[in-house]
Amino acid sequence: AGVAHEINNPVTFIYGNLTPASQYIEGLLYLLTLYQQHYPQPAAEIQAEREAIDIDFLVEDLPKILSSMKMGANRIREIVLSLRNFSRLDEAEIKPVDIHEGLDNTLLILQSRFKGKPGQPEIQLIKEYGPLPKVECYAGQINQVFMNILSNAIDALEEAKGERRRARGENSSSLPIPSCPLPWIRIRTEVGKISSSGLPSGNQDWVTIRIADNGPGMPQTVKERLFDPFFTTKPVGQGTGLGLSISYQIVVEKHGGRLWCESAPGQGTEFFIEIPIFGHRA
Ligand SMILES: Nc1ncnc2c1ncn2[C@@H]1O[C@H](COP(=O)(O)OP(=O)(O)O)[C@@H](O)[C@H]1O
Ligand SMILES: [Mg+2]
């Protein structure tokens, strides 16, 4: 928790000061143009210096430099924030947890993202909760895993809509409109582990939580790198690529569980989370 905090403070100084700095610079540049207008024939020394610093280029480039500095600082802030949320949860204790309560709380936070908007159908939620005992785990961490996987599913479904719109716009008459399946997310819970045949093994010491979506799915190249830190296919500013690598650490390293996914292009995606009921005795 310490390191993320130490980084966050100075980054906040930088980010916070960039806006007034841009405004000051804008003011100075305007003052400069006023000088130019009123004194078109400056002294030789000023004229020489204008050429030496290439004033026209400088004036054009400075705002661009500032805006990319702002983007960079913002990005560091986002990354630090994810790390901080993660490490803060470290401090919580392990205790018997109602998994369904954790899922429902996470869904509540994400509620607005399930709702439809003009041009975007509502995401249907299919809950198939089986009877589960309480599970010995770090509640906050496990909720963060649900949050990461569910927000990825929503991102994927939203992205699919965007793709469809783009496809329609570009080939409005030459291609038939692709069939537009109703987007859904399905959450299943049950006691037991998933055996190699893909069926629950009935092992009473484990619970399995599956989160599936009917989004675009992933090609093998993405699947291979899914859990790598900073791996993302989302545009700059949208994805940090930390969600799944943090989730992997939580499930596998902190809880002695398993986390994997099944997905193929056009086939949707299903994440499997398996956690031992009686805790991880590392
Ligand atoms: N349900 C999903 N459907 C399609 N792709 C997914 C899904 N979940 C994760 N991904 C892919 O895995 C990548 C990494 O996810 P994540 O670690 O959460 O980082 P981020 O969401 O910041 O990109 C995503 O960029 C995306 O390409
Ligand atoms: Mg994510």
Side-chain angles (χ1 to χ4, degrees), residues 165-177:
R165 262 201 302 275
R166 235 166 292 148
R168 234 175 288 164
E170 281 159 23
N171 314 295
S172 46
S173 57
S174 57
L175 273 179
I177 294 168

Side-chain angles (χ1 to χ4, degrees), residues 4 15 77 133 198 221 228 232 235-236 243 247 255 258 269 277:
Y15 188 80
R77 261 184 3 154
T221 47
D228 291 357
T232 181
V236 177
S247 302
H255 290 87
R258 293 203 300 166
T269 299
I277 291 174

Side-chain angles (χ1 to χ4, degrees), residues 108-178:
L108 209 63
I109 298 171
L110 289 170
Q111 202 177 36
S112 67
R113 297 199 60 200
F114 277 83
K115 290 213 182 87
K117 287 182 224 114
Q120 269 189 14
E122 185 176 338
I123 298 171
Q124 213 200 322
L125 176 65
I126 305 159
K127 278 205 246 182
E128 296 178 5
Y129 291 177
L132 285 192
K134 292 207 167 173
V135 175
E136 297 260 336
C137 63
Y138 297 100
Q141 292 188 9
I142 291 298
N143 288 352
Q144 167 133 34
V145 172
F146 298 154
M147 176 65 84
N148 290 343
I149 294 176
L150 283 166
S151 13
N152 281 344
I154 297 171
D155 288 346
L157 291 169
E158 280 179 353
E159 209 242 329
K161 279 172 230 155
E163 292 285 304
R164 277 196 291 272
R165 262 201 302 275
R166 235 166 292 148
R168 234 175 288 164
E170 281 159 23
N171 314 295
S172 46
S173 57
S174 57
L175 273 179
I177 294 168

Side-chain angles (χ1 to χ4, degrees), residues 6 10 14-15 19 30 33 42 49 56 64 67 81 88 103 105 107 148 166 174 185 188 198 200 226 237 252 264 279:
E6 290 305 322
I14 298 177
Y15 188 80
T19 303
Y30 182 63
T33 54
E49 191 59 25
D56 295 334
K64 291 185 198 158
S67 98
L81 211 66
R88 188 186 297 139
L103 282 166
N105 284 337
L107 288 167
N148 290 343
R166 235 166 292 148
S174 57
I185 289 176
R188 283 186 177 164
L226 211 53
V252 177

Side-chain angles (χ1 to χ4, degrees), residues 185-200:
I185 289 176
R186 188 187 60 214
I187 307 175
R188 283 186 177 164
T189 63
E190 63 208 308
V191 170
K193 273 179 111 161
I194 306 295
S195 68
S196 50
S197 63
L199 294 168

Side-chain angles (χ1 to χ4, degrees), residues 11 14 29 42 61 80 133 162 180 186 191 202 215 226 233 248 267 275:
V11 166
I14 298 177
L29 290 178
D61 205 39
V80 168
C180 196
R186 188 187 60 214
V191 170
L226 211 53
T233 58
Y248 191 87
Q267 305 290 301
I275 312 170

